[in-house]
Amino acid sequence: MSASTVAERPQQREPTIEEYGRMTPREVRQVMREGRFTLRTTRNVALGHVQCALVVLPKSLAFEFMLFCQRNQRPCPVLDVTDPGDPEPRRIAPGADLRTDSPGYSVYRNGVLEGYRTDIVDLWQDDSVAFCIGSNTSCDLALRRAGVQTERNRWVLKTNVPTEPAGPFHGPLVVTMRWLTPKEALIATQLTGRFPFNHGAPIHIGDPAALGCDLQRPMMGDPVPEIPKDVVPVFWACSMTPQAVAEVSGIDLMITSAPSKGLISDLESDKVCAP
Amino acid sequence: MSASTVAERPQQREPTIEEYGRMTPREVRQVMREGRFTLRTTRNVALGHVQCALVVLPKSLAFEFMLFCQRNQRPCPVLDVTDPGDPEPRRIAPGADLRTDSPGYSVYRNGVLEGYRTDIVDLWQDDSVAFCIGSNTSCDLALRRAGVQTERNRWVLKTNVPTEPAGPFHGPLVVTMRWLTPKEALIATQLTGRFPFNHGAPIHIGDPAALGCDLQRPMMGDPVPEIPKDVVPVFWACSMTPQAVAEVSGIDLMITSAPSKGLISDLESDKVCAP
């Protein structure tokens, strides 16, 4: 490539959050592939599209993990599984490369978080299988349209409720807790029930102690403050459950999405309510 | 055992259909285990409980079949998967033995139906994995309570719509067609939509030709007569799809439920609408 060609190329600045919100999933994934995505979260990115948490495992563990997801359908609704060695999620994001097109990955070795990555090209094996698991950020636009705020008072918490094990996979259920007004809580319950393949309706409402929520150590951010009298805590099963499972299951190598960094699929959230 | 003990044992007659309807799943499975179940269908048996179609495969094909089910969630909603070699579906029918407690099995070798069995004790292997797939008979009681007849004008048909393949598994989608009044069709659509893990809402309504339904050769019974003007044909994905898949996929040994003969699980249909 000649110097003049380079000069002609427009400067590639990162889109603003408003621009990210209006971009197509394919456009956003391209930015991620080029390593230009620097936001802390994919929330509000390519609004109205289903976002997925990833899990990457060797083929030898794929059946057991699939079984884990079947036994824990609420936190782990599987929307796509790649063929061994194929990094393209052909059904939900054709053309995407799962090694580079997700904005962040957590790498666990023997249950220890080795670190975060922005690509997993060097970790991908000939027999790697990727699971794409629906995330509750997928419902944000639908909730907002229905008058339910989605920006504030939202935490991801470990519980003391065990998941149903399968093979080596076990660990605590992780939930998203949102503080809503009573009216919002009722609307959100009905609305999310229409998305059975995206965690569905809440699994609990009211006292966080009933699930044994760890309010002091959310999976991201600061401890949860005292709950005000005028809000209703509402709890959904969360697709960060595989990260908690990776911590305790001690798998040789298990890759998940980094917290709050989902794969942006081509699926339109409004359509998956009747898949 | 002495002759007198035998004489004291009450004569074991088969329950009537009305008695079957009121029996618990465990009681019904016991009758099946003893080989005393002779009805043509499990419809109306242990009413209000989820019935399942079975698929039994070696562990080596379990991941690919699980993937097939994930990619074809509407016809193949997986409700339980046994651990390799374990014939007990611990989550949906604890205490049951899948080798004997289902009233009929179809045995396919290389895509050819070898025959029907009432048990598969001799075919069960140390690495056999059984998949329990929700059947639409599970919704019958709920439909009836809502005023939708479920007894007449109901066929299981192959379509020319291909399923999404996975590994060696491929074949046509199978549907249940019911002829309903317009009012029944609208009620049934709303009601079955509440059961996303039991085939959910209809996949089609109206002209059977749109799905390429084979009206001349239903998977059971006589050809479909001409459709009267005052009924609406309504189509649900059907858990007999694995039988059509067994016919064309040419697996060495694939065992399914025999037509219309489901495993009676302990799950209450009314409860699985919000699993």
Side-chain angles (χ1 to χ4, degrees):
Chain A
M1 190 188 284
S2 72
S4 66
T5 313
V6 173
E8 281 159 19
R9 212 175 180 184
Q11 183 70 28
Q12 296 278 315
R13 67 161 177 81
E14 184 172 14
T16 64
I17 180 59
E18 289 73 23
E19 288 169 337
Y20 270 129
R22 291 188 299 267
M23 285 165 70
T24 67
R26 188 176 290 260
E27 289 167 347
V28 171
R29 293 194 302 261
Q30 184 61 34
V31 172
M32 292 168 175
R33 183 179 296 193
E34 293 169 4
R36 294 189 290 120
F37 184 92
T38 66
L39 303 190
R40 195 185 54 80
T41 166
T42 48
R43 205 182 294 171
N44 296 324
V45 170
L47 267 169
H49 291 89
V50 171
Q51 300 197 9
C52 292
L54 295 180
V55 170
V56 179
L57 287 163
K59 167 79 162 66
S60 58
L61 288 170
F63 175 61
E64 277 79 6
F65 187 72
M66 192 93 178
L67 206 51
F68 177 83
C69 293
Q70 190 275 324
R71 291 177 183 172
N72 299 280
Q73 162 72 31
R74 296 302 286 279
C76 299
V78 177
L79 297 179
D80 202 357
V81 182
T82 57
D83 288 311
D86 181 0
E88 181 182 356
R90 294 172 188 274
R91 280 152 293 275
I92 66 167
D97 185 332
L98 290 179
R99 300 169 299 183
T100 54
D101 294 3
S102 190
Y105 305 82
S106 297
V107 178
Y108 294 88
R109 288 193 198 267
N110 304 308
V112 178
L113 177 64
E114 186 183 80
Y116 299 113
R117 304 276 198 109
T118 55
D119 76 73
I120 51 167
V121 170
D122 60 319
L123 296 175
W124 188 265
Q125 304 291 321
D126 286 347
D127 71 343
S128 290
V129 175
F131 297 81
C132 305
I133 295 171
S135 153
N136 61 23
T137 54
S138 312
C139 304
D140 279 4
L141 184 59
L143 285 167
R144 230 176 288 172
R145 282 177 180 149
V148 179
Q149 72 81 12
T150 61
E151 293 300 296
R152 299 180 309 282
N153 299 332
R154 179 173 172 161
W155 294 267
V156 176
L157 305 170
K158 282 184 201 165
T159 69
N160 66 8
V161 178
T163 56
E164 173 115 26
F169 299 101
H170 66 283
L173 175 70
V174 174
V175 296
T176 302
M177 174 177 74
R178 297 180 183 187
W179 288 354
L180 301 175
T181 66
K183 187 175 175 183
E184 285 178 322
L186 294 169
I187 294 171
T189 298
Q190 295 173 75
L191 193 147
T192 54
R194 288 173 43 220
F195 297 84
F197 301 100
N198 250 300
H199 305 302
I203 56 164
H204 178 56
I205 189 161
D207 185 4
L211 297 177
C213 289
D214 187 346
L215 302 175
Q216 291 310 304
R217 280 171 296 273
M219 288 184 73
M220 293 163 297
D222 297 325
V224 178
E226 197 179 345
I227 302 177
K229 290 241 181 302
D230 58 346
V231 304
V232 180
V234 188
F235 303 80
W236 282 266
C238 178
S239 56
M240 281 178 63
T241 298
Q243 294 174 47
V245 165
E247 288 173 7
V248 296
S249 298
I251 308 299
D252 289 355
L253 174 62
M254 180 165 169
I255 303 169
T256 70
S257 295
S260 288
K261 293 189 172 159
L263 171 78
I264 315 290
S265 81
D266 289 356
L267 300 179
E268 293 172 56
S269 301
D270 287 340
K271 293 184 180 165
V272 295
C273 63
Chain B
M1 192 186 287
S2 72
S4 66
T5 313
V6 171
E8 282 160 19
R9 211 175 182 183
Q11 183 70 27
Q12 294 280 313
R13 67 162 176 80
E14 184 172 14
T16 64
I17 180 61
E18 288 71 26
E19 288 169 338
Y20 271 131
R22 291 188 299 267
M23 285 164 70
T24 68
R26 187 176 290 259
E27 289 166 347
V28 172
R29 292 194 303 261
Q30 184 61 35
V31 173
M32 293 168 174
R33 184 179 295 193
E34 293 169 5
R36 294 190 290 117
F37 183 91
T38 66
L39 303 190
R40 197 185 53 80
T41 166
T42 48
R43 204 183 293 169
N44 296 325
V45 169
L47 267 170
H49 291 89
V50 171
Q51 299 198 11
C52 292
L54 295 180
V55 171
V56 179
L57 287 163
K59 167 80 162 66
S60 57
L61 289 170
F63 175 61
E64 277 80 5
F65 187 72
M66 191 95 178
L67 207 52
F68 178 83
C69 294
Q70 189 275 324
R71 291 177 182 171
N72 299 280
Q73 162 73 30
R74 296 302 285 279
C76 299
V78 177
L79 296 180
D80 201 358
V81 183
T82 57
D83 288 311
D86 181 359
E88 181 182 356
R90 295 173 188 273
R91 280 150 294 274
I92 65 167
D97 185 331
L98 290 179
R99 299 169 298 184
T100 54
D101 295 3
S102 191
Y105 306 82
S106 297
V107 178
Y108 294 88
R109 288 194 198 267
N110 304 304
V112 178
L113 177 63
E114 186 183 79
Y116 299 113
R117 304 274 198 110
T118 55
D119 75 72
I120 53 167
V121 170
D122 60 318
L123 296 174
W124 187 265
Q125 303 291 321
D126 285 347
D127 71 343
S128 290
V129 176
F131 297 81
C132 305
I133 296 172
S135 152
N136 60 25
T137 53
S138 312
C139 304
D140 280 5
L141 184 60
L143 285 167
R144 229 176 288 171
R145 283 178 180 148
V148 179
Q149 71 81 13
T150 60
E151 292 299 294
R152 299 179 309 283
N153 299 331
R154 177 172 174 163
W155 294 269
V156 176
L157 305 170
K158 283 185 198 164
T159 69
N160 67 10
V161 178
T163 55
E164 174 113 26
F169 299 100
H170 66 284
L173 175 70
V174 174
V175 295
T176 301
M177 174 176 74
R178 297 182 183 185
W179 288 353
L180 301 174
T181 66
K183 186 175 175 183
E184 285 178 322
L186 294 168
I187 294 170
T189 299
Q190 295 172 76
L191 193 147
T192 55
R194 286 173 44 220
F195 297 84
F197 302 100
N198 249 301
H199 306 303
I203 57 163
H204 178 56
I205 189 162
D207 186 3
L211 297 176
C213 289
D214 187 346
L215 302 175
Q216 291 310 304
R217 280 172 295 274
M219 287 183 75
M220 293 162 297
D222 297 324
V224 179
E226 198 180 341
I227 303 176
K229 290 241 182 301
D230 59 345
V231 304
V232 180
V234 188
F235 303 80
W236 281 266
C238 177
S239 56
M240 281 179 64
T241 298
Q243 294 175 47
V245 165
E247 288 173 8
V248 297
S249 299
I251 307 300
D252 290 355
L253 175 62
M254 179 164 170
I255 302 168
T256 70
S257 294
S260 288
K261 293 190 172 158
L263 171 78
I264 316 290
S265 82
D266 289 356
L267 301 179
E268 293 172 56
S269 301
D270 288 340
K271 293 184 180 164
V272 295
C273 63

